[in-house]
Amino acid sequence: MTIQSIEARRIWDSRGRPTVEVEVGNADGSIGRGIAPAGASRGTREAVELRDGGPRFGGLDVQRALRGIELEIAPALVGRDASDQASIDALLIALDGTPDKSRLGGNALIATSLAVLHAAAAQARLPLWRYLAQGRPVQLPLPQVQVFGGGAHAGRRVDVQDFMVIATGARSFAQAMEMSAEVYRAAGALMAERGALAGVADEGGWWPAFARNEDALDTLLAAIERAGYTPGSEVAIALDIAASEFGHGGRYRLALENEELDSDALCERLLRWLERYPIVSIEDPLAEDDEAGLIAFTRAAAGHVQVVGDDYLVTSAQRVRTAAERGACNCLLVKPNQAGTVSETRAALDAARESGYGTIVSARSGDTEDVAIVHLATGWNAGQIKVGSFARSERMAKWNEGIRLEGRVPAPAGFAGRAALAGGR
Ligand code: 2PG
Ligand code: MG
Protein backbone atom coordinates (compact mmCIF):
# COMPACT_ATOMS: atom_id res chain seq x y z
CA MET A 1 0.00 0.00 0.00
CA THR A 2 1.44 3.36 -0.91
CA ILE A 3 1.44 6.88 0.44
CA GLN A 4 -0.85 8.97 -1.71
CA SER A 5 -0.81 12.37 -0.08
CA ILE A 6 1.10 14.43 2.43
CA GLU A 7 -0.41 17.54 3.90
CA ALA A 8 1.36 19.90 6.28
CA ARG A 9 -0.25 22.61 8.34
CA ARG A 10 0.58 25.01 11.12
CA ILE A 11 -1.19 24.30 14.38
CA TRP A 12 -0.54 25.69 17.88
CA ASP A 13 1.10 24.13 20.90
CA SER A 14 0.31 24.34 24.61
CA ARG A 15 2.27 27.61 24.94
CA GLY A 16 0.28 29.10 22.07
CA ARG A 17 3.24 28.86 19.71
CA PRO A 18 3.18 27.67 16.10
CA THR A 19 4.08 24.07 15.45
CA VAL A 20 4.05 21.60 12.56
CA GLU A 21 1.38 18.97 11.92
CA VAL A 22 1.65 16.48 9.06
CA GLU A 23 -1.05 14.21 7.69
CA VAL A 24 -0.12 11.22 5.58
CA GLY A 25 -2.82 9.61 3.44
CA ASN A 26 -2.51 6.06 2.12
CA ALA A 27 -4.02 4.73 -1.08
CA ASP A 28 -6.52 2.65 0.93
CA GLY A 29 -7.90 5.80 2.58
CA SER A 30 -6.20 5.27 5.94
CA ILE A 31 -4.41 8.29 7.37
CA GLY A 32 -1.80 9.09 9.99
CA ARG A 33 -1.09 12.37 11.75
CA GLY A 34 2.09 13.52 13.45
CA ILE A 35 2.77 16.68 15.47
CA ALA A 36 6.10 18.21 16.48
CA PRO A 37 6.36 19.20 20.16
CA ALA A 38 8.83 21.85 21.36
CA GLY A 39 11.19 22.02 24.32
CA ALA A 40 12.14 25.08 26.37
CA SER A 41 15.20 23.59 28.07
CA ARG A 42 17.04 22.08 25.15
CA GLY A 43 20.22 20.15 24.69
CA THR A 44 22.60 21.87 22.28
CA ARG A 45 22.87 18.67 20.23
CA GLU A 46 19.15 18.20 19.64
CA ALA A 47 17.75 18.18 16.12
CA VAL A 48 17.25 21.86 15.31
CA GLU A 49 13.75 23.30 14.89
CA LEU A 50 13.25 25.36 11.75
CA ARG A 51 11.58 28.65 12.73
CA ASP A 52 11.01 31.65 10.48
CA GLY A 53 12.49 34.42 12.62
CA GLY A 54 11.23 37.92 11.96
CA PRO A 55 8.44 39.75 13.76
CA ARG A 56 5.55 37.28 13.50
CA PHE A 57 4.80 35.27 16.66
CA GLY A 58 8.15 36.17 18.18
CA GLY A 59 9.97 34.67 15.22
CA LEU A 60 8.50 31.25 15.96
CA ASP A 61 6.38 30.75 12.88
CA VAL A 62 7.01 27.55 10.90
CA GLN A 63 6.18 28.54 7.31
CA ARG A 64 9.62 27.56 6.08
CA ALA A 65 9.28 24.11 7.66
CA LEU A 66 5.86 23.70 6.01
CA ARG A 67 7.26 24.77 2.65
CA GLY A 68 10.05 22.20 2.90
CA ILE A 69 7.50 19.46 3.53
CA GLU A 70 5.37 20.58 0.62
CA LEU A 71 8.12 21.13 -1.92
CA GLU A 72 10.72 18.52 -0.97
CA ILE A 73 9.44 15.92 1.47
CA ALA A 74 6.01 15.23 -0.01
CA PRO A 75 7.21 14.60 -3.59
CA ALA A 76 9.89 12.22 -2.27
CA LEU A 77 7.50 10.22 -0.07
CA VAL A 78 4.42 9.89 -2.27
CA GLY A 79 4.38 6.43 -3.78
CA ARG A 80 6.43 4.87 -0.97
CA ASP A 81 5.19 2.28 1.49
CA ALA A 82 4.32 3.80 4.90
CA SER A 83 5.20 0.55 6.64
CA ASP A 84 8.83 0.89 5.56
CA GLN A 85 9.68 3.34 8.35
CA ALA A 86 13.42 2.69 8.22
CA SER A 87 13.86 3.62 4.58
CA ILE A 88 11.47 6.57 4.81
CA ASP A 89 13.42 7.95 7.77
CA ALA A 90 16.70 7.36 5.94
CA LEU A 91 15.27 9.30 3.03
CA LEU A 92 14.20 12.17 5.29
CA ILE A 93 17.70 12.32 6.80
CA ALA A 94 19.31 12.28 3.34
CA LEU A 95 16.93 14.92 1.99
CA ASP A 96 17.77 17.23 4.87
CA GLY A 97 21.48 16.57 4.44
CA THR A 98 22.72 18.30 7.60
CA PRO A 99 23.99 16.62 10.79
CA ASP A 100 21.58 18.61 12.98
CA LYS A 101 18.56 18.54 10.65
CA SER A 102 18.62 22.31 10.44
CA ARG A 103 17.90 22.63 6.72
CA LEU A 104 14.42 21.10 6.57
CA GLY A 105 14.04 21.29 10.36
CA GLY A 106 13.81 18.65 13.07
CA ASN A 107 10.21 19.81 13.57
CA ALA A 108 9.31 19.07 9.92
CA LEU A 109 11.10 15.73 10.05
CA ILE A 110 9.65 14.40 13.31
CA ALA A 111 6.09 15.43 12.39
CA THR A 112 6.48 13.64 9.05
CA SER A 113 8.15 10.58 10.53
CA LEU A 114 5.46 10.22 13.22
CA ALA A 115 2.69 10.74 10.65
CA VAL A 116 4.17 7.94 8.53
CA LEU A 117 4.26 5.67 11.59
CA HIS A 118 0.62 6.43 12.40
CA ALA A 119 -0.32 5.87 8.76
CA ALA A 120 1.35 2.45 8.79
CA ALA A 121 -0.55 1.47 11.94
CA ALA A 122 -3.82 2.75 10.46
CA GLN A 123 -3.18 0.78 7.31
CA ALA A 124 -2.62 -2.33 9.41
CA ARG A 125 -5.85 -1.46 11.24
CA LEU A 126 -4.08 -1.58 14.57
CA PRO A 127 -3.80 0.93 17.41
CA LEU A 128 -0.30 2.36 17.38
CA TRP A 129 0.89 0.62 20.56
CA ARG A 130 -0.19 -2.76 19.20
CA TYR A 131 1.40 -2.11 15.82
CA LEU A 132 4.68 -1.29 17.59
CA ALA A 133 4.49 -4.25 19.97
CA GLN A 134 4.37 -6.69 17.04
CA GLY A 135 2.81 -9.37 19.19
CA ARG A 136 5.38 -9.12 21.99
CA PRO A 137 4.06 -8.71 25.55
CA VAL A 138 4.21 -5.10 26.71
CA GLN A 139 3.49 -3.25 29.95
CA LEU A 140 2.04 0.16 30.71
CA PRO A 141 4.89 2.49 31.73
CA LEU A 142 5.60 3.75 35.24
CA PRO A 143 4.76 7.49 35.20
CA GLN A 144 6.81 10.44 36.50
CA VAL A 145 4.26 13.15 37.36
CA GLN A 146 5.32 16.74 37.95
CA VAL A 147 3.99 18.49 41.06
CA PHE A 148 5.98 21.76 40.92
CA GLY A 149 7.36 23.22 37.70
CA GLY A 150 10.48 25.35 37.81
CA GLY A 151 13.50 26.39 35.77
CA ALA A 152 12.78 27.35 32.17
CA HIS A 153 9.13 26.35 32.63
CA ALA A 154 8.46 28.89 35.36
CA GLY A 155 10.44 32.00 34.46
CA ARG A 156 13.35 30.54 36.47
CA ARG A 157 11.44 31.23 39.67
CA VAL A 158 13.42 28.30 41.15
CA ASP A 159 16.52 26.72 39.61
CA VAL A 160 15.45 23.07 39.57
CA GLN A 161 13.08 22.38 36.69
CA ASP A 162 10.86 19.41 37.60
CA PHE A 163 9.79 18.31 41.07
CA MET A 164 7.97 15.07 40.34
CA VAL A 165 6.51 12.01 42.04
CA ILE A 166 6.61 8.36 41.12
CA ALA A 167 3.92 6.14 42.59
CA THR A 168 6.30 3.36 43.53
CA GLY A 169 3.56 1.49 45.40
CA ALA A 170 1.09 1.48 42.50
CA ARG A 171 0.09 -1.84 41.03
CA SER A 172 -1.52 -0.42 37.90
CA PHE A 173 -1.21 2.65 35.70
CA ALA A 174 -4.67 3.76 36.80
CA GLN A 175 -3.67 3.47 40.44
CA ALA A 176 -0.48 5.46 39.76
CA MET A 177 -2.74 8.20 38.38
CA GLU A 178 -4.96 8.11 41.49
CA MET A 179 -1.98 8.39 43.82
CA SER A 180 -0.40 11.19 41.76
CA ALA A 181 -3.74 13.04 41.72
CA GLU A 182 -3.92 12.94 45.54
CA VAL A 183 -0.36 14.25 45.94
CA TYR A 184 -0.89 16.99 43.34
CA ARG A 185 -4.06 18.06 45.14
CA ALA A 186 -2.37 17.97 48.56
CA ALA A 187 0.52 20.07 47.25
CA GLY A 188 -1.95 22.65 45.94
CA ALA A 189 -3.69 22.74 49.32
CA LEU A 190 -0.39 23.25 51.13
CA MET A 191 0.49 26.13 48.82
CA ALA A 192 -2.95 27.69 49.31
CA GLU A 193 -2.62 27.51 53.11
CA ARG A 194 0.66 29.42 52.89
CA GLY A 195 -0.85 32.01 50.60
CA ALA A 196 1.63 30.80 47.96
CA LEU A 197 -0.78 29.44 45.39
CA ALA A 198 -0.07 31.36 42.20
CA GLY A 199 -1.32 29.26 39.31
CA VAL A 200 0.70 26.76 37.35
CA ALA A 201 3.90 26.56 35.32
CA ASP A 202 4.24 25.47 31.66
CA GLU A 203 3.59 21.77 32.26
CA GLY A 204 0.77 22.26 34.77
CA GLY A 205 2.84 21.91 37.95
CA TRP A 206 2.07 24.38 40.74
CA TRP A 207 3.91 27.68 40.39
CA PRO A 208 7.09 27.37 42.51
CA ALA A 209 6.69 30.23 44.97
CA PHE A 210 9.60 29.09 47.16
CA ALA A 211 12.48 30.90 48.82
CA ARG A 212 14.91 27.99 48.37
CA ASN A 213 15.08 24.97 46.07
CA GLU A 214 14.95 22.75 49.15
CA ASP A 215 11.65 24.31 50.23
CA ALA A 216 10.09 22.74 47.14
CA LEU A 217 11.48 19.36 48.20
CA ASP A 218 10.18 19.79 51.76
CA THR A 219 6.76 20.77 50.46
CA LEU A 220 6.68 17.83 48.06
CA LEU A 221 7.52 15.48 50.92
CA ALA A 222 4.80 17.08 53.06
CA ALA A 223 2.31 16.69 50.19
CA ILE A 224 3.08 12.98 49.88
CA GLU A 225 2.48 12.57 53.60
CA ARG A 226 -0.64 14.70 53.62
CA ALA A 227 -2.04 12.56 50.79
CA GLY A 228 -1.66 9.61 53.16
CA TYR A 229 1.25 7.82 51.47
CA THR A 230 4.49 6.52 52.90
CA PRO A 231 7.32 8.48 51.24
CA GLY A 232 9.60 6.18 49.30
CA SER A 233 7.77 2.87 49.43
CA GLU A 234 4.43 4.21 48.16
CA VAL A 235 5.24 7.54 46.55
CA ALA A 236 8.82 8.63 45.83
CA ILE A 237 10.39 11.79 44.42
CA ALA A 238 11.92 12.26 40.96
CA LEU A 239 13.81 15.41 39.98
CA ASP A 240 14.88 16.97 36.71
CA ILE A 241 17.64 19.35 37.76
CA ALA A 242 18.07 20.48 34.10
CA ALA A 243 21.50 21.73 35.17
CA SER A 244 22.50 22.80 31.64
CA GLU A 245 20.12 25.73 32.18
CA PHE A 246 22.16 27.21 35.03
CA GLY A 247 25.61 25.73 34.58
CA HIS A 248 28.40 26.02 32.00
CA GLY A 249 32.07 25.11 32.10
CA GLY A 250 31.69 23.39 35.47
CA ARG A 251 30.27 26.48 37.24
CA TYR A 252 26.69 26.42 38.46
CA ARG A 253 24.75 29.48 39.51
CA LEU A 254 21.82 28.85 41.84
CA ALA A 255 19.94 32.12 41.46
CA LEU A 256 17.49 31.44 44.28
CA GLU A 257 20.19 30.77 46.88
CA ASN A 258 22.49 33.35 45.27
CA GLU A 259 25.30 30.82 45.26
CA GLU A 260 27.86 29.73 42.74
CA LEU A 261 28.93 26.09 42.97
CA ASP A 262 31.57 24.16 41.11
CA SER A 263 30.83 20.71 39.78
CA ASP A 264 31.97 18.91 42.95
CA ALA A 265 29.92 21.18 45.18
CA LEU A 266 26.77 20.68 43.12
CA CYS A 267 27.37 16.92 43.20
CA GLU A 268 27.69 17.07 46.98
CA ARG A 269 24.54 19.16 47.30
CA LEU A 270 22.56 16.69 45.21
CA LEU A 271 23.99 13.68 47.04
CA ARG A 272 22.87 15.30 50.28
CA TRP A 273 19.36 15.62 48.82
CA LEU A 274 19.47 11.93 47.91
CA GLU A 275 20.19 11.15 51.57
CA ARG A 276 17.56 13.47 53.00
CA TYR A 277 14.67 12.87 50.62
CA PRO A 278 13.11 9.72 49.15
CA ILE A 279 14.45 10.44 45.66
CA VAL A 280 14.53 7.51 43.24
CA SER A 281 15.31 9.31 39.98
CA ILE A 282 17.40 12.38 39.11
CA GLU A 283 17.70 13.80 35.60
CA ASP A 284 20.47 16.01 34.19
CA PRO A 285 22.08 16.47 37.63
CA LEU A 286 25.05 18.19 35.94
CA ALA A 287 25.17 20.17 32.72
CA GLU A 288 25.49 18.56 29.29
CA ASP A 289 29.06 19.90 28.96
CA ASP A 290 30.14 18.50 32.35
CA GLU A 291 30.80 14.89 31.47
CA ALA A 292 33.35 14.44 34.26
CA GLY A 293 30.76 15.66 36.74
CA LEU A 294 28.12 13.31 35.33
CA ILE A 295 30.50 10.37 35.59
CA ALA A 296 31.44 11.27 39.18
CA PHE A 297 27.81 11.72 40.16
CA THR A 298 26.80 8.46 38.50
CA ARG A 299 29.59 6.63 40.31
CA ALA A 300 28.36 7.97 43.64
CA ALA A 301 24.62 7.61 43.07
CA ALA A 302 23.80 5.01 40.45
CA GLY A 303 23.98 2.12 42.92
CA HIS A 304 20.72 3.25 44.45
CA VAL A 305 19.21 5.92 42.22
CA GLN A 306 18.21 6.31 38.60
CA VAL A 307 20.46 8.88 36.88
CA VAL A 308 18.73 10.10 33.75
CA GLY A 309 20.43 11.70 30.76
CA ASP A 310 18.34 14.20 28.77
CA ASP A 311 20.34 17.20 27.47
CA TYR A 312 23.52 15.13 27.67
CA LEU A 313 22.23 12.14 25.67
CA VAL A 314 19.71 13.93 23.38
CA THR A 315 18.09 10.64 22.31
CA SER A 316 21.19 9.64 20.33
CA ALA A 317 22.23 5.97 20.09
CA GLN A 318 25.84 7.00 19.61
CA ARG A 319 25.86 9.26 22.65
CA VAL A 320 24.22 6.56 24.77
CA ARG A 321 26.91 4.03 23.81
CA THR A 322 29.71 6.48 24.59
CA ALA A 323 28.11 7.47 27.90
CA ALA A 324 27.73 3.81 28.87
CA GLU A 325 31.40 3.14 28.13
CA ARG A 326 32.42 6.12 30.25
CA GLY A 327 29.99 5.36 33.08
CA ALA A 328 27.72 8.41 32.86
CA CYS A 329 24.00 7.94 33.70
CA ASN A 330 22.03 4.69 33.88
CA CYS A 331 18.82 5.79 32.18
CA LEU A 332 17.88 7.50 28.91
CA LEU A 333 15.16 10.11 28.48
CA VAL A 334 13.65 9.36 25.08
CA LYS A 335 12.33 12.40 23.21
CA PRO A 336 11.49 11.72 19.56
CA ASN A 337 11.95 15.34 18.48
CA GLN A 338 15.48 15.43 19.91
CA ALA A 339 16.39 12.67 17.47
CA GLY A 340 14.26 13.94 14.58
CA THR A 341 12.93 10.64 13.25
CA VAL A 342 11.13 7.62 14.70
CA SER A 343 13.88 5.23 13.58
CA GLU A 344 16.63 7.21 15.30
CA THR A 345 14.49 7.44 18.44
CA ARG A 346 14.04 3.69 18.42
CA ALA A 347 17.78 3.17 17.84
CA ALA A 348 18.57 5.29 20.92
CA LEU A 349 16.12 3.25 22.98
CA ASP A 350 17.69 0.01 21.75
CA ALA A 351 21.18 1.31 22.54
CA ALA A 352 20.01 2.20 26.06
CA ARG A 353 18.60 -1.27 26.58
CA GLU A 354 21.75 -2.92 25.28
CA SER A 355 23.74 -0.79 27.73
CA GLY A 356 21.56 -1.91 30.64
CA TYR A 357 20.02 1.57 30.96
CA GLY A 358 16.45 2.25 31.95
CA THR A 359 14.30 4.17 29.45
CA ILE A 360 11.70 6.92 29.91
CA VAL A 361 9.68 8.18 26.94
CA SER A 362 9.06 11.91 27.44
CA ALA A 363 6.79 14.69 26.22
CA ARG A 364 8.11 18.24 25.78
CA SER A 365 7.18 21.34 27.74
CA GLY A 366 5.54 22.72 24.60
CA ASP A 367 3.18 19.94 23.65
CA THR A 368 -0.27 19.30 22.21
CA GLU A 369 -3.27 17.01 22.52
CA ASP A 370 -1.20 14.41 20.66
CA VAL A 371 -0.97 11.15 22.64
CA ALA A 372 1.54 9.33 20.44
CA ILE A 373 4.22 9.13 23.14
CA VAL A 374 1.94 7.01 25.33
CA HIS A 375 1.71 4.51 22.48
CA LEU A 376 5.47 4.64 21.92
CA ALA A 377 6.19 4.08 25.62
CA THR A 378 3.75 1.16 25.76
CA GLY A 379 4.34 -0.43 22.37
CA TRP A 380 8.12 -0.20 22.73
CA ASN A 381 7.79 -1.42 26.32
CA ALA A 382 9.98 1.43 27.54
CA GLY A 383 9.06 0.90 31.19
CA GLN A 384 8.63 4.58 32.12
CA ILE A 385 6.95 7.74 30.86
CA LYS A 386 7.22 11.46 31.67
CA VAL A 387 4.49 13.80 30.54
CA GLY A 388 4.48 16.79 32.90
CA SER A 389 1.97 17.50 35.62
CA PHE A 390 -1.56 16.52 36.54
CA ALA A 391 -3.33 19.50 34.98
CA ARG A 392 -3.77 21.09 31.54
CA SER A 393 -5.30 19.05 28.77
CA GLU A 394 -2.14 18.49 26.73
CA ARG A 395 -0.90 16.54 29.79
CA MET A 396 -4.18 14.94 30.86
CA ALA A 397 -4.87 13.70 27.30
CA LYS A 398 -1.76 11.53 27.64
CA TRP A 399 -2.50 10.25 31.13
CA ASN A 400 -6.05 9.45 30.07
CA GLU A 401 -4.78 7.59 27.02
CA GLY A 402 -2.62 5.46 29.32
CA ILE A 403 -5.73 4.54 31.31
CA ARG A 404 -7.49 3.54 28.09
CA LEU A 405 -4.57 1.42 26.95
CA GLU A 406 -4.32 -0.32 30.29
CA GLY A 407 -7.79 -1.71 29.68
CA ARG A 408 -6.59 -3.20 26.41
CA VAL A 409 -3.15 -4.57 27.12
CA PRO A 410 -3.69 -8.26 27.64
CA ALA A 411 -3.03 -9.77 31.06
CA PRO A 412 -0.71 -10.79 32.63
CA ALA A 413 1.63 -8.16 31.16
CA GLY A 414 -0.11 -5.20 32.83
CA PHE A 415 1.98 -2.49 34.43
CA ALA A 416 5.74 -2.03 34.61
CA GLY A 417 5.69 -0.61 38.14
CA ARG A 418 8.74 0.34 40.20
CA ALA A 419 10.77 -2.53 38.74
CA ALA A 420 11.20 -0.32 35.65
CA LEU A 421 13.40 2.12 37.60
CA ALA A 422 17.12 1.88 36.96
CA GLY A 423 19.47 2.03 39.92
CA GLY A 424 17.38 -0.34 42.00
CA ARG A 425 16.34 1.66 45.06
C1 2PG B 1 12.75 18.08 30.09
C2 2PG B 1 11.50 18.53 29.37
C3 2PG B 1 10.24 18.02 30.01
P1 2PG B 1 11.67 20.59 27.80
O1 2PG B 1 13.68 18.85 30.30
O2 2PG B 1 12.86 16.91 30.44
O3 2PG B 1 10.13 18.43 31.36
O4 2PG B 1 11.46 19.93 29.24
O5 2PG B 1 10.66 19.98 26.90
O6 2PG B 1 11.48 22.07 28.01
O7 2PG B 1 13.06 20.25 27.39
MG1 MG C 1 14.96 17.19 31.17
Side-chain angles (χ1 to χ4, degrees), residues 39-41 153 161-162 203 240 283 310 333 335 364-365 386:
S41 67
H153 304 163
Q161 182 181 283
D162 297 327
E203 297 188 355
D240 182 359
E283 181 179 327
D310 172 11
L333 199 75
K335 289 170 164 172
R364 299 307 304 249
S365 52
K386 177 184 174 192

Side-chain angles (χ1 to χ4, degrees), residues 164-189:
M164 300 173 285
V165 289
I166 296 181
T168 44
R171 282 185 300 278
S172 68
F173 186 86
Q175 192 186 11
M177 291 293 103
E178 287 175 13
M179 295 166 80
S180 306
E182 294 284 25
V183 176
Y184 182 73
R185 172 179 290 271

Side-chain angles (χ1 to χ4, degrees), residues 245-322:
E245 290 291 310
F246 59 87
H248 302 280
R251 307 294 306 174
Y252 296 89
R253 163 129 204 97
L254 291 176
L256 204 52
E257 278 89 0
N258 194 20
E259 267 183 290
E260 188 166 306
L261 305 178
D262 65 11
S263 185
D264 288 346
L266 179 58
C267 266
E268 262 167 51
R269 177 76 48 95
L270 297 177
L271 290 169
R272 200 164 74 219
W273 288 1
L274 296 186
E275 275 166 29
R276 285 189 37 200
Y277 301 97
I279 295 168
V280 292
S281 181
I282 185 158
E283 181 179 327
D284 285 352
L286 287 302
E288 61 183 350
D289 67 355
D290 188 0
E291 190 171 63
L294 282 164
I295 293 168
F297 183 82
T298 303
R299 197 173 300 136
H304 49 287
V305 170
Q306 176 167 275
V307 183
V308 186
D310 172 11
D311 291 353
Y312 168 64
L313 297 175
V314 289
T315 315
S316 151
Q318 190 49 51
R319 290 188 64 80
V320 170
R321 284 190 207 103
T322 307

